Amino acid sequence: MNKHTTLPNLMQKLVSDEEIQRIAEAVGYRDSSRTFTLREWIHFFLLAAMHQWKSFRHGADVGPLYGLPRFHYSTVSKKAKEVPYDIMKRLLALIISKCNRQTRRSLRFPKPLRVVDSTTVTVGKNRLPWAPYHGERAGVKLHVAYSPESSLPADVVETIGLRHDGPVGEQLTNAQQVLVEDRAYFKIERLDRFVEQHQFFVIRMKDNIELHQKKSLKRLSSTSSSVQADFTCQLGTKQCRSTKRHRVVIFRDANGRDIRVVTNLFHASAETIADMYQQRWTVEVFFRWVKQYLNVPTLFGTTENAVYNQLFAAFIAYVLLRWLYDQTKKQTNVSLSFISFVRRFFSGQLPLDWKSGMAAALFEYAQIYGRRNV
């Protein structure tokens, strides 16, 4: 098993050429290339993310060592401008859906969580004139709905860096899950609407929000609990006050700071509500991991298609690595964290049990889905 080509090969088993063709047709793109096909172009971006290539030119120089055909760097650069990034975005959604079917975890909470947050990638303003940000910087944002249960992104929305998180968050709601969000998504009218729409939420409140007609909820006291208060109230001033009574839980974080969250979950304990909000940090860890290990800060192109194609490909690389780790972990009793797995995988230093477990996991997938082993 060649570690350099494992993920492109795995993606080839997860997604057929026919599925890629259907996605391309759905967005109106026709691939006319014979020497550097859409499949090979997708593999280029996967490899660029995993091995942290520096540019299109660098990728063209080393690509043949990773199973890609020989090509001039201008070929992939031109294709990056022409291929609609919606292809890579739809491909990410397809792969997530397939990997989610294979990854099942027991829920710690009464309902699955949907952690919503965003991350910004910035460069010099002359690199992306269509995406102004602040001062001498340009930037783009990826707004992500993340599942702590599966450790996978569930949905992604792309915008320029100046776009505020709040309005975009409206596109990432899901009535089957509990929204967990930071202060950027807090809006009193939004909370009232969520109650009417039966959208469960745990959202951190802004510090200056007034609390009106507080009524404490009965709860069992515990000396080990971080919860400081649990009550219902209306939120805001006379000029802008919630029409609904909302539950507010105040708890102390690991740094001793008081965190105020508002929720419409009344059948969960205050400690569970606090734990739900603290799951928000899982998406922060995900963002840091992608930026550190998948070459996200190094943008190759300057057009919307080139930039977003690269970023969505990095997310695809993460999903494939996470899937490979989760499936291999089931086959071995030797404990290994996800970060350790990735580092050892790319350095060729995986323990023998994990190498055997990976082979067993891939063989099992091939048997179930009737495709050749990777």
Side-chain angles (χ1 to χ4, degrees):
M1 184 185 303
N2 187 341
K3 66 179 183 298
H4 297 315
T5 59
T6 296
L7 290 198
N9 287 342
L10 176 56
M11 201 207 76
Q12 192 160 2
K13 307 309 176 187
L14 285 171
V15 182
S16 67
D17 289 338
E18 292 76 14
E19 287 172 315
I20 291 179
Q21 180 63 28
R22 284 197 294 271
I23 290 174
E25 290 176 354
V27 302
Y29 177 76
R30 182 176 178 273
D31 185 21
S32 59
S33 176
R34 296 182 179 179
T35 57
F36 197 75
T37 65
L38 183 59
R39 165 78 75 176
E40 290 162 341
W41 176 83
I42 292 169
H43 287 180
F44 171 91
F45 274 113
L46 277 180
L47 291 165
M50 292 185 295
H51 300 289
Q52 300 194 5
W53 294 348
K54 299 176 182 178
S55 62
F56 288 130
R57 188 189 294 271
H58 179 208
D61 291 341
V62 302
L65 301 176
Y66 295 84
L68 292 175
R70 294 195 175 277
F71 58 92
H72 193 267
Y73 76 91
S74 62
T75 301
V76 68
S77 176
K78 181 181 178 182
K79 206 176 187 79
K81 296 178 183 177
E82 296 174 348
V83 176
Y85 70 81
D86 201 31
I87 289 179
M88 201 74 83
K89 184 176 182 178
R90 293 186 184 209
L91 185 60
L92 170 64
L94 177 63
I95 292 173
I96 288 172
S97 69
K98 293 192 175 193
C99 290
N100 268 333
R101 289 200 295 267
Q102 290 290 303
T103 304
R104 299 289 185 230
R105 290 189 175 91
S106 58
L107 298 180
R108 288 177 50 197
F109 304 108
K111 290 177 70 71
L113 305 185
R114 188 176 181 87
V115 181
V116 174
D117 206 347
S118 70
T119 188
T120 306
V121 180
T122 64
V123 295
K125 68 176 183 179
N126 294 329
R127 287 276 295 163
L128 306 178
W130 51 271
Y133 188 47
H134 293 298
E136 296 300 309
R137 307 297 290 172
V140 295
K141 268 187 181 180
L142 294 176
H143 307 258
V144 176
Y146 182 82
S147 168
E149 286 83 14
S150 66
S151 300
L152 294 176
D155 200 1
V156 183
V157 176
E158 70 290 343
T159 70
I160 63 171
L162 285 178
R163 186 75 183 274
H164 193 272
D165 289 347
V168 182
E170 298 296 322
Q171 303 177 50
L172 296 172
T173 60
N174 186 316
Q176 304 303 313
Q177 299 173 313
V178 179
L179 283 181
V180 179
E181 298 175 326
D182 203 1
R183 287 175 289 195
Y185 300 90
F186 178 90
K187 193 173 182 180
I188 290 176
E189 299 90 337
R190 189 172 183 243
L191 304 183
D192 285 342
R193 175 161 45 84
F194 280 168
V195 172
E196 294 173 355
Q197 295 173 345
H198 304 288
Q199 169 68 69
F200 292 112
F201 59 85
V202 177
I203 301 176
R204 186 174 179 180
M205 294 168 52
K206 294 179 179 178
D207 293 336
N208 62 350
I209 296 298
E210 293 185 14
L211 309 177
H212 182 64
Q213 292 186 341
K214 294 196 299 182
K215 182 179 179 180
S216 295
L217 295 174
K218 292 181 180 180
R219 58 186 303 272
L220 296 175
S221 60
S222 171
T223 56
S224 61
S225 175
S226 64
V227 174
Q228 305 298 302
D230 182 14
F231 54 85
T232 65
C233 67
Q234 288 179 282
L235 306 175
T237 63
K238 289 182 179 180
Q239 291 75 24
C240 180
R241 179 168 291 163
S242 64
T243 60
K244 312 288 185 182
R245 290 187 65 86
H246 297 284
R247 182 183 186 185
V248 173
V249 174
I250 302 176
F251 66 93
R252 194 156 289 168
D253 68 8
N255 296 317
R257 299 172 300 184
D258 282 350
I259 305 295
R260 302 193 307 172
V261 298
V262 57
T263 182
N264 57 347
L265 291 166
F266 286 90
H267 298 294
S269 69
E271 286 74 16
T272 297
I273 300 298
D275 287 344
M276 283 182 171
Y277 179 76
Q278 292 182 96
Q279 288 296 304
R280 198 190 69 80
W281 297 111
T282 59
V283 73
E284 298 285 356
V285 172
F286 164 71
F287 288 148
R288 285 199 297 270
W289 196 95
V290 170
K291 287 183 174 181
Q292 181 176 353
Y293 291 99
L294 295 179
N295 210 27
V296 166
T298 306
L299 298 179
F300 295 172
T302 59
T303 66
E304 285 186 80
N305 281 334
V307 169
Y308 290 131
N309 273 319
Q310 182 181 345
L311 295 179
F312 281 117
F315 276 25
I316 290 173
Y318 169 85
V319 172
L320 293 175
L321 282 168
R322 188 79 215 191
W323 183 91
L324 191 60
Y325 168 76
D326 287 334
Q327 298 307 306
T328 304
K329 185 172 62 173
K330 297 175 183 177
Q331 307 288 338
T332 177
N333 293 321
V334 178
S335 178
L336 204 62
S337 70
F338 178 54
I339 292 178
S340 295
F341 166 77
V342 172
R343 288 174 176 169
R344 296 189 183 201
F345 175 70
F346 285 115
S347 65
Q349 297 179 339
L350 274 178
L352 182 59
D353 283 353
W354 275 77
K355 290 180 180 179
S356 301
M358 187 186 302
L362 294 173
F363 178 78
E364 180 180 308
Y365 175 85
Q367 291 292 102
I368 294 174
Y369 290 94
R371 295 183 181 179
R372 293 174 299 169
N373 199 7
V374 179

